[in-house]
């Protein structure tokens, strides 16, 4: 159970949003839509603990995440705009590092390879990341979600640069994750609409700036 | 946690080896800077021998500083830093791992190159052990202090020059004690007190820097 | 499975505090209420500090230049000390206040403390520069040269570099809040390092010290010299508070202007 109460965010002396609340139950998904600058990315970074809320709380199973960021980091995967890839390392080497960091050394390479297969880039495993296309880089970034289990996925415009096949794979993994009781928060960029209207949608609106 | 620490270190070393030239730049700079001094002050062996310790330490200090600019910059730009900050490994440990990797690929080559340059600069042969010991104790401290500066200038305009302005004044104690150790050896005075001071600074840096640099990284990511 | 998700985008939770002139609607951002109180208080204090500065400076300069005797050893050039010594004191005082204000700003996110640290830096740098220049002017007749690598002079020079680094870092970011936080950490790092640097420079100086350098007067100082020194120190301190208050007021107004601009851009 992931919840926010009266959350407010200030970026560069500007109030991005305030008074934002939601509750997300196990298996739930939250889709963020809103215009540019509405605060979708800021909300995801707040949820990840990279930003501190100007007011309000984020809670996991009732406990404020600010009390124990370390525990919170263990339960989340965040895929932001940057792909966090090293061009000089091969696809597998890139992913293996994250696999070790999150899941320990045991079986790290196997988990990484399975994740690559899930996103359809297993055959690229030995290719240096500098040769990847934008869509392939994105697939590799998304593969991080699968290297070790974590209940909360925070995805910032994950479909950017993905082709139809990759979007289908992403949707399948998201579905699987939710069926296993995982939570997903996903920001969609401007033109996109969530496919399944059943999903909860949170619209962040622009707020008046504050002096 | 240890496996994560080693992984961050291994990854940085591997990247440095793949992009071989990048880490060699520090050594190349070190060599060129040292070679410029005889051209500037003249080739008299006595003059050179007198100032060799200072030249070696100043050049090593500048080389260490120049190579530090990229310590966090690449990770900051490509999103790796925020992913590492969200990993179970504490950011303080990440700082130590990255600094250790950085020292392995730049600090060690500097130490290895220093005897050759010491010959070119006519350093007294008695000073060689002190030179190696002083650099061995100094370069890790330089990397650590520089890591704080490198974390502070993330996302700044003119990061490189700014880093020099922030970090060089903080390097002064290192420079003074390292040169004092080498000179003391040349004059036949005890070297140990100077080396102990350098070791003390290293211990203090090991204790304080990870914590400060991690705070600087957090505010850079926020 | 989505049924369990309850979502609401409630309006901003507002607890209006009476007495807050602006920013009150956004309880969330009550940090901005603080500057308001500061603006009221500082408006009253500025004239007092300004007046005290002028009075003390006039009295101090009279004592220093006319009413005090020349030194039996240093002659008339001892009068430079009445500017040099307080300036050097202020250089250290400003760095300390900058570090303390930075710590308060970083720990409690107190906006006025952050602005105080930022406003102190250029003043401290000016005092440091003044101390260096007057030291050099004093050194010419005393030591026969404009600059001597004396331990004190060298330490003050390094302090000047630390101020420059702080100001450069402060100004290096497009987001002013980012610059203030980064510079705050640097101020604390520098503060921890100042004693180490001082120690190392003293050590270095004893290794290289030529024996003939004239040392400044010891702890024994005649009251005819002590009084102008203390009056000048008081004048410099009042000057610091005067200018820092004016500068922090300027910072607050600048941040309000930025807010108005943002309101224009973002509606």
């Amino acid at each position: 159970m992931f919840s926010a109460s009266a959350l407010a965010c200030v970026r560069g002396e500007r109030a991005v949003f305030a008074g934002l609340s939601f509750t997300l139950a196990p298996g739930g998904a939250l889709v963020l839509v809103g215009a540019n600058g509405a605060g979708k990315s800021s909300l995801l970074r707040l949820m990840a603990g990279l930003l501190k809320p100007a007011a309000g709380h984020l809670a996991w199973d009732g406990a404020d995440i600010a009390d124990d960021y370390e525990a919170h980091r263990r339960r989340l995967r965040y895929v932001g705009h940057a792909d966090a890839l090293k061009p000089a390392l091969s696809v597998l080497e890139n992913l293996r590092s994250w696999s070790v960091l999150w899941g320990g050394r045991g079986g790290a390479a196997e988990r990484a390879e399975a994740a690559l297969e899930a996103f359809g880039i297993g055959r690229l495993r030995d290719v240096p990341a500098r040769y990847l296309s934008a869509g392939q880089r994105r697939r590799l970034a998304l593969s991080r979600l699968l290297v070790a289990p974590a209940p909360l996925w925070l995805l910032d415009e994950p479909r950017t640069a993905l082709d139809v096949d990759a979007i289908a794979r992403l949707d399948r993994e998201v579905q699987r994750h939710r069926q296993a009781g995982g939570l997903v928060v996903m920001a969609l960029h401007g033109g996109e609409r969530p496919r399944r209207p059943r999903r909860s949608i949170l619209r962040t609106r622009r707020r008046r700036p504050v002096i | 946690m240890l496996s994560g620490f080693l992984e961050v270190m291994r990854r940085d070393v591997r990247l440095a080896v793949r992009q071989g030239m990048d880490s060699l730049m520090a050594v190349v700079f070190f060599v060129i800077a040292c070679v410029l001094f005889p051209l500037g002050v003249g080739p008299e062996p006595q003059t050179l021998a007198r100032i060799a310790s200072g030249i070696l330490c100043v050049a090593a200090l500048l080389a260490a500083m120049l190579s530090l600019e990229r310590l966090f910059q690449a990770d900051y730009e490509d999103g790796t830093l925020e992913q590492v900050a969200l990993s179970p490994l504490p950011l303080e440990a990440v700082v130590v791992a990255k600094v250790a990797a950085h020292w392995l690929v730049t600090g060690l080559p500097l130490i290895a190159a220093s005897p050759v340059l010491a010959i070119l600069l006519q350093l007294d042969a008695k000073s060689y052990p002190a030179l190696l010991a002083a650099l061995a104790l100094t370069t890790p401290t330089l990397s650590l202090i520089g890591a704080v500066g490198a974390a502070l200038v993330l996302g700044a305009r003119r990061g490189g020059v700014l880093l020099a302005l922030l970090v060089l004044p903080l390097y002064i104690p290192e420079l003074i004690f390292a040169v004092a150790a080498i000179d003391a050896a040349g004059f036949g005075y005890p070297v140990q007190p100077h080396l102990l001071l350098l070791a003390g600074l290293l211990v203090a840096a090991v204790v304080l820097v990870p914590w400060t640099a991690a705070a600087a990284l957090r505010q850079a990511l926020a | 499975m989505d049924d369990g998700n309850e979502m609401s985008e409630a309006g901003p939770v507002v607890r209006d505090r009476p007495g807050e002139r602006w920013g009150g609607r956004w309880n969330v951002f009550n940090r901005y209420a603080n500057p308001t109180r500061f603006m009221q208080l500082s408006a009253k204090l500025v004239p007092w500090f300004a007046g005290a500065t002028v009075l003390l400076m006039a009295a101090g300069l009279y004592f220093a230049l006319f009413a005090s005797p020349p030194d039996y050893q240093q002659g008339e050039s001892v009068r430079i000390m009445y500017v040099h010594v307080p300036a050097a004191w202020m250089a250290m005082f400003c760095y300390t206040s900058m570090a303390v204000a930075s710590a308060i700003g970083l720990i409690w996110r107190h906006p006025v403390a952050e602005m105080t640290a930022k406003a102190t830096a250029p003043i401290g740098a000016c005092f440091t520069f003044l101390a260096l220049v007057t030291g050099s002017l004093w050194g010419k007749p005393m030591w026969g040269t404009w600059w001597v690598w004396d331990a004190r002079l060298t330490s003050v020079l390094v302090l000047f570099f630390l101020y420059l680094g702080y100001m450069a870092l402060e100004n290096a970011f497009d987001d002013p809040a980012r610059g203030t936080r980064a510079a705050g950490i640097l101020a604390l790092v520098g503060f921890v390092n100042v004693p180490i640097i001082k120690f190392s420079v003293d050590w270095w100086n004893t290794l290289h010290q030529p024996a003939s350098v004239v040392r400044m007067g010891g702890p024994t100082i005649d009251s005819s010299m002590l009084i102008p020194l203390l009056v000048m120190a008081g004048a410099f301190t009042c000057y610091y508070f005067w200018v820092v208050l004016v500068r922090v007021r300027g910072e607050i107004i600048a941040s309000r202007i930025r807010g108005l601009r943002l309101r224009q851009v973002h509606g």
Side-chain angles (χ1 to χ4, degrees):
Chain A
M1 183 87 94
F2 189 45
S3 62
S5 58
L7 212 56
C9 176
V10 178
R11 302 293 286 147
E13 305 185 321
R14 182 168 77 91
V16 183
F17 54 76
L20 192 139
S21 303
F22 64 83
T23 306
L24 198 55
L30 186 59
V31 175
L32 311 177
V33 292
N36 295 340
K40 301 186 294 293
S41 295
S42 296
L43 179 56
L44 282 167
R45 292 174 75 83
L46 275 175
M47 289 178 178
L50 286 170
L51 294 183
K52 310 274 177 283
H57 304 280
L58 280 158
W60 183 268
D61 290 338
D64 193 334
I65 66 162
D67 295 340
D68 193 351
Y69 278 115
E70 204 170 328
H72 189 62
R73 289 205 299 267
R74 283 174 203 281
R75 61 174 90 98
L76 71 89
R77 291 283 172 280
Y78 168 78
V79 178
H81 289 284
D83 291 323
L85 303 182
K86 294 294 175 193
L89 299 181
S90 78
V91 167
L92 186 61
E93 282 171 334
N94 263 299
L95 195 56
R96 213 191 78 97
S97 290
W98 302 114
S99 185
V100 172
L101 269 177
W102 278 304
R105 290 196 70 180
E110 290 74 22
R111 278 179 280 124
E113 285 190 64
L116 291 176
E117 288 300 337
F119 280 94
I121 44 174
R123 70 197 158 80
L124 300 174
R125 47 169 290 185
D126 295 323
V127 176
R130 76 166 66 91
Y131 297 118
L132 298 187
S133 72
Q136 287 166 333
R137 292 170 61 90
R138 200 72 190 149
R139 288 180 190 227
L140 177 49
L142 287 166
S143 305
R144 283 202 308 268
L145 293 168
L146 304 178
V147 291
L152 176 61
W153 287 6
L154 305 172
L155 312 178
D156 198 351
E157 305 190 350
R159 292 175 185 168
T160 310
L162 291 186
D163 58 14
V164 180
D165 170 59
I167 292 179
R169 286 173 187 271
L170 172 63
D171 285 351
R172 191 185 68 208
E173 293 307 328
V174 167
Q175 203 58 36
R176 202 175 275 169
H177 176 64
R178 293 175 60 193
Q179 272 157 7
L183 284 65
V184 179
V185 182
M186 190 191 299
L188 297 184
H189 64 79
E192 269 186 318
R193 283 284 156 266
R195 296 229 173 136
R196 274 173 268 269
R198 288 195 304 125
R199 274 187 202 156
S200 312
I201 301 174
L202 185 64
R203 271 173 216 284
T204 51
R205 273 202 306 269
R206 286 185 187 162
R207 290 281 171 181
R208 248 161 33 96
V210 162
I211 311 172
Chain B
M1 184 162 142
L2 183 65
S3 62
F5 178 87
L6 292 174
E7 182 63 30
V8 172
M9 218 171 121
R10 187 161 38 222
R11 181 184 154 102
D12 271 23
V13 171
R14 188 181 287 151
L15 272 171
V17 172
R18 294 271 165 88
Q19 302 160 341
M21 223 23 222
D22 292 15
S23 51
L24 275 181
M25 291 296 235
V27 185
V28 173
F29 174 88
F30 181 48
V31 173
I32 292 180
C34 284
V35 167
L36 284 181
F37 277 92
L39 298 175
V41 300
E44 295 85 16
Q46 292 85 352
T47 317
L48 286 179
R50 171 73 195 80
I51 58 172
S53 57
I55 296 172
L56 285 167
C57 290
V58 170
L61 184 150
L62 291 176
M65 187 211 67
L66 283 178
S67 64
L68 272 163
E69 195 199 340
R70 297 300 291 171
L71 181 59
F72 299 114
Q73 189 72 32
D75 282 1
Y76 176 75
E77 282 163 5
D78 69 14
T80 303
L81 195 59
E82 62 187 17
Q83 290 297 333
V84 176
L86 291 173
S87 79
L89 191 63
L91 207 45
E92 287 79 2
V94 174
V95 170
V96 177
K98 287 188 74 75
V99 170
H102 175 268
W103 182 76
L104 283 177
V105 295
T106 59
L108 272 185
L110 283 187
I111 298 173
S114 63
V116 181
L117 291 167
I119 294 172
L120 293 185
L121 294 171
Q122 317 286 346
L123 185 74
D124 193 330
K126 291 198 296 283
S127 304
Y128 279 52
L131 170 71
L132 291 177
L135 283 183
L137 287 170
T138 310
T139 44
T141 319
L142 297 180
S143 295
L144 283 163
I145 297 174
V148 178
L152 283 173
V153 301
L154 283 179
R157 302 183 297 262
R158 312 177 302 268
V161 191
L162 186 58
L163 182 65
L165 187 52
L166 304 190
V167 163
L168 288 182
L170 303 180
Y171 279 176
I172 289 171
E174 294 298 318
L175 174 66
I176 288 173
F177 295 132
V179 174
I182 302 168
D183 283 350
F187 293 128
Y189 298 144
V191 178
Q192 209 186 12
H194 309 276
L195 294 181
L196 285 176
L197 278 168
L198 285 174
L201 288 176
L202 176 58
V203 171
V206 166
V207 174
L208 292 174
V209 159
W211 184 69
T212 320
L217 288 177
R218 282 197 194 94
Q219 62 87 29
L221 287 171
Chain C
M1 84 186 60
D2 290 334
D3 302 341
N5 306 343
E6 170 218 334
M7 208 120 22
S8 63
E9 199 196 354
V13 179
V14 176
R15 272 161 286 163
D16 258 310
R17 286 197 203 165
E20 284 180 11
R21 269 197 299 186
W22 54 277
R25 178 170 144 70
W26 299 83
N27 170 57
V28 162
F29 311 113
N30 67 8
R31 50 185 248 141
Y32 293 97
N34 236 322
T36 307
R37 236 169 279 144
F38 176 84
M39 288 299 269
Q40 291 165 350
L41 183 66
S42 60
K44 290 189 192 111
L45 287 176
V46 163
W48 288 100
F49 278 118
T53 306
V54 172
L55 282 178
L56 287 171
M57 192 74 86
L61 284 178
Y62 171 75
F63 279 120
L65 298 182
F66 303 106
S68 69
D71 187 72
Y72 78 98
Q73 213 177 8
Q74 304 175 11
E76 297 293 344
S77 53
V78 73
R79 304 194 191 283
I80 295 174
M81 285 298 121
Y82 300 122
V83 176
H84 174 77
V85 173
W89 285 346
M90 289 309 291
M92 284 181 282
F93 172 78
C94 286
Y95 202 86
T96 310
S97 17
M98 198 171 87
V100 171
S102 294
I104 295 171
L106 284 171
I107 297 168
W108 289 289
R109 290 288 170 93
H110 198 298
V112 176
E114 286 174 349
M115 289 171 182
T116 306
K118 187 180 172 185
T120 299
I123 310 172
C126 286
F127 277 126
T128 315
F129 187 68
L130 187 63
L132 284 172
V133 169
T134 50
S136 175
L137 287 175
W138 178 83
K140 183 62 182 166
M142 287 301 109
W143 294 333
T145 168
W146 294 111
W147 184 264
V148 163
W149 287 96
D150 167 70
R152 286 190 213 205
L153 253 61
T154 312
S155 301
V156 174
L157 184 64
V158 175
L159 188 65
F160 186 59
F161 292 150
L162 291 178
Y163 274 117
L164 289 186
Y166 178 95
M167 290 190 290
L169 187 61
E170 160 82 59
N171 281 307
F173 296 91
D174 294 322
D175 173 9
R178 196 45 233 293
T180 310
R181 270 178 296 155
I185 295 177
L186 181 71
L188 292 179
V189 171
F191 191 64
V192 172
N193 269 283
V194 163
I196 303 175
I197 295 173
K198 180 89 179 77
F199 169 69
S200 69
V201 170
D202 285 344
W203 170 287
W204 163 79
N205 202 246
T206 50
L207 288 179
H208 297 266
Q209 184 70 265
S212 62
V213 168
V214 180
R215 282 259 151 220
M216 285 199 296
T220 51
I221 181 166
D222 190 72
S223 67
S224 65
M225 292 184 168
L226 190 61
I227 288 170
L229 200 59
L230 291 179
V231 174
M232 285 302 281
F236 278 24
T237 312
C238 287
Y239 173 81
Y240 164 73
F241 281 109
W242 173 24
V243 177
V244 89
L245 285 177
V246 170
R247 289 184 60 89
V248 172
R249 287 173 65 80
E251 287 290 329
I252 292 174
I253 291 165
S255 98
R256 286 181 181 179
I257 291 172
R258 281 197 300 271
L260 288 173
R261 289 236 174 88
L262 280 169
R263 189 177 290 181
Q264 280 174 345
V265 173
H266 298 282

